[in-house]
Structures are given as C-alpha cells and as structure tokens.
Amino acid sequence: EKGGFDHFMLKEIHEQPKAITDTFRGRMLVEENMIKMSSIDDNLDKFLNANRIIIIACGTSWHAGLVGEYLFEDMARIPVEVEYASEFRYRNPIITNKDVVIAISQSGETADTLAAIKLAKSKGAFVYGVCNVVGSSIARETHSGAYTHAGPEIGVASTKAFTTQITVLTLIALKLGKANGSLADHTFKDYLKKMQLIPRQVEKLLKIDEHVKSIAAVYKDATNCLYLGRGFNFPVALEGALKLKEISYIHAEGYPAAEMKHGPIALIDENMPIFVIATNRGHYEKVVSNIQEIKSRAGKIIAVVTEGDTQVREIADHVIEVPDTEEALTPLLTTIPLQLLSYHIAVMLGKNVDQPRNLAKSVTVE
Ligand code: M6R
C-alpha cells in the first residue's frame, strides 16, 4: 500500500508530479490557450464583480491560501484577504453578497472551516470550495468549487494536497486574470507553458533526495530553526517550518525574510540553521542582503536557489537548486526540498512520520 516507500509521506511527496498533472489535466488547455473550469465560468460574474476574495482555511491549507493571495492579486488584480477559519468565524466578520469566499481544505471535514463557510453563506457571500476529498462536508456545503486531484493523502503531514491546492489556485487566478484583462494574452500563454513544465521539474527535484538527506544529517539535532522567504515564497517558508515542527518536533518559525531584523535576528548564533528561499526572480538582491546579515552573525545558511546561481552559493553553507520558472510558480518547486528535508530529519530522529504525536489527519473538533 505504500508502493515500495517506507512511509506514506514519502510516497505522497513522490506522487506530486502526477498529482499536479492530474489537477490541471482537462482544465489547462495549452494548445487552445485557455483554462476550462466550468465552476468558474458558471460564476464568472460573481468573481469579476467581487469587491474582494476572502480565503479561509486552516494549517497547510491556509498556507496555500496565502500563496493564493499573491497569485490573485498579481495575476487578476483582485484584492484578497486570507483568514484562519477559526479567527474569521468568531470575529463577527464584515461580509456581504459582494464578497467571494474561497474555502480550502484537503479533508473537507475541518470543523472551523466548515463553520466559517456556514457563517459566510448566512451573510450572503458566494462560497467556493477547493477540496481534495470528493463528497466531503465542505464540498457539499459550498455553492461551487473545484477538486484537487491529489488522490488519497494518508500521511498526517500534508504534502501533495498543498501543491495541488496551489495548482488549482493558480489556474483560477490565471483564468480570472485573462477574463478581466489583467493578463496580456502572451503572458497568459507563457504561464500555461511554464505550468506544463512543472511536473517534470518536480520529478527532477525529487532526484536530489540524497543531497537533501545529507543536509538533514547535518542539522537533525538542531533545537530551533528559522525559515525565510519573500513574496510568493513567504508562505513556503511558513509551510517548511510547519512540516518540520509537525513530524520532527523541532521548533521552527517561518518569517518574511525582511522581518528578520525586527526581532528573530536576536536568535541567530552558530547553532541556528536558517533555511532561506532565494530564487533568482523574487526580490533576489534583497534576499541576498538578508543572507549576508545572517552570515555576519554566524548563522548556518541553507539556501534554496535557482539552478546555476553563483551569488548565494558563495555565502551559504549549503545550497539546494530548483529549476527555473516564473516567480509566481516557484512555490510549486521550492516546497519540495523542504518537504524532503523534514521527512529525512524525522526519520533520522526515529519519529513516527505518518502519525505524529497529538495530531489528527482531519481536525473535526472546534
Ligand atoms: O483537511 P484540511 O486541509 O482542512 O486540514 C487543515 C489542517 O488541519 C492541515 O493542513 C494540518 O495543518 C496538516 N497536518 C498540515 O500538515
């Protein structure tokens, strides 16, 4: 059942090229230069006339929502707010029938997300679901939606659900951007072409597993780690930290790289590993200067860089290369080595990777 892998988590990490492909298959039509999603077409006026989009979710799905915020604002120029479902529902939120709510959930059973959906509906919002489990409570409770085609995710630590959620959000953002004229035709086309390459690029990344494992061996005994990223990769930093916390029980925090100097920099010493996402398109020079700040305080730097990078390689203690793509699509690649890294550290520490202590696959209590 684990398909020859030692753990479901590793199997699911390796399933991502297929899961991403399955999620855009039939929707992303590169030849026709279009994205076909009837759930969006049928409700296009609601999306295009929306005052704003509010994304609600928990945990990893909330991180996918944050990537969604960058995607929608960048590609479709629609204002977005991303909320923890649990905070949203208890705040007497201001929602009207001019708002579109997107609820994201792998399981489709998360109690707080479900309750937030009911609240948004009662205030007249149109609620769209992005779920993995077909026929789940959230899939049924939402007005419309799109499934991620990740297949069953057994490991408690979410992996392929995250990348397929980002895939669906990217398709929606591109489709809306084209529909409202925010994206030029050739830009849209270029994105589709780049998106089509992603599964092969993820496959390539999975092949550097041994390299990632050797880095895991160096830092497995750390007690604290920082994850830094900017822009589209800020949520990836949060997700990288969550993965490490969940399965290896090592304390980790994700931060927007520039926030480091507003506090967490005080933590840095020679025992502190800092994972920095420094791909070459997203505010690269700024991230390089953040890395220099870490270096001058003797922190250990593990950088996720674009293939061929030389500048960061000179300063970092370790680099992990990811293939080149559009900045907006980099989360689909930069996430992969961070998943592998957490996995290997947890295995090396002898932790229960698939069923970490105190955690449930779906949180059906509020
Ligand atoms: O099923 P959902 O996507 O609604 O679950 C939300 C969170 O409980 C979930 O992502 C959790 O944070 C995972 N354990 C993360 O790996």
Side-chain angles (χ1 to χ4, degrees), residues 161-236:
F162 181 64
T163 45
T164 55
Q165 286 163 347
I166 294 175
T167 302
V168 167
L169 295 169
T170 307
L171 295 181
I172 300 173
L174 284 168
K175 190 168 169 62
L176 295 178
K178 189 180 186 200
N180 71 11
S182 300
L183 276 184
D185 222 45
H186 66 273
T187 316
F188 178 83
K189 191 174 205 141
D190 200 46
Y191 269 122
L192 298 200
K193 286 188 185 150
K194 295 276 170 56
M195 191 69 188
Q196 203 177 24
L197 297 176
I198 294 285
R200 291 290 293 276
Q201 294 179 319
V202 173
E203 231 162 69
K204 193 171 169 196
L205 266 172
L206 292 168
K207 296 205 173 87
I208 60 158
D209 192 35
E210 280 304 315
H211 173 56
V212 177
K213 196 170 166 181
S214 69
I215 297 173
V218 178
Y219 297 105
K220 68 176 180 12
D221 297 314
T223 48
N224 286 292
C225 295
L226 273 182
Y227 285 74
L228 304 176
R230 294 180 88 115
F232 287 95
N233 284 293
F234 157 52
V236 175

Side-chain angles (χ1 to χ4, degrees), residues 58-61 105-108 110 156-158 165 242-243 246 363:
C58 302
T60 289
S61 298
S105 175
Q106 186 287 129
S107 64
T110 300
V156 165
S158 188
Q165 286 163 347
L242 178 64
K243 284 296 82 98
E246 277 189 296
V363 182

Side-chain angles (χ1 to χ4, degrees), residues 5-7 9-10 13-14 205-221 243-244 247-248 250 320 336-351 353:
F5 291 97
D6 289 343
H7 299 93
M9 183 183 177
L10 189 60
I13 290 173
H14 280 264
L205 266 172
L206 292 168
K207 296 205 173 87
I208 60 158
D209 192 35
E210 280 304 315
H211 173 56
V212 177
K213 196 170 166 181
S214 69
I215 297 173
V218 178
Y219 297 105
K220 68 176 180 12
D221 297 314
K243 284 296 82 98
L244 189 69
I247 59 169
S248 68
I250 295 173
I320 300 171
I336 311 294
L338 301 184
Q339 294 171 341
L340 288 169
L341 191 102
S342 306
Y343 170 79
H344 287 301
I345 291 182
V347 171
M348 286 170 193
L349 296 177
K351 306 299 184 205
V353 172

Side-chain angles (χ1 to χ4, degrees), residues 87-99:
E87 285 297 314
F88 177 81
R89 58 177 289 213
Y90 289 114
R91 212 188 44 233
N92 191 13
I94 301 158
I95 326 168
T96 71
N97 59 5
K98 292 283 280 175
D99 292 319

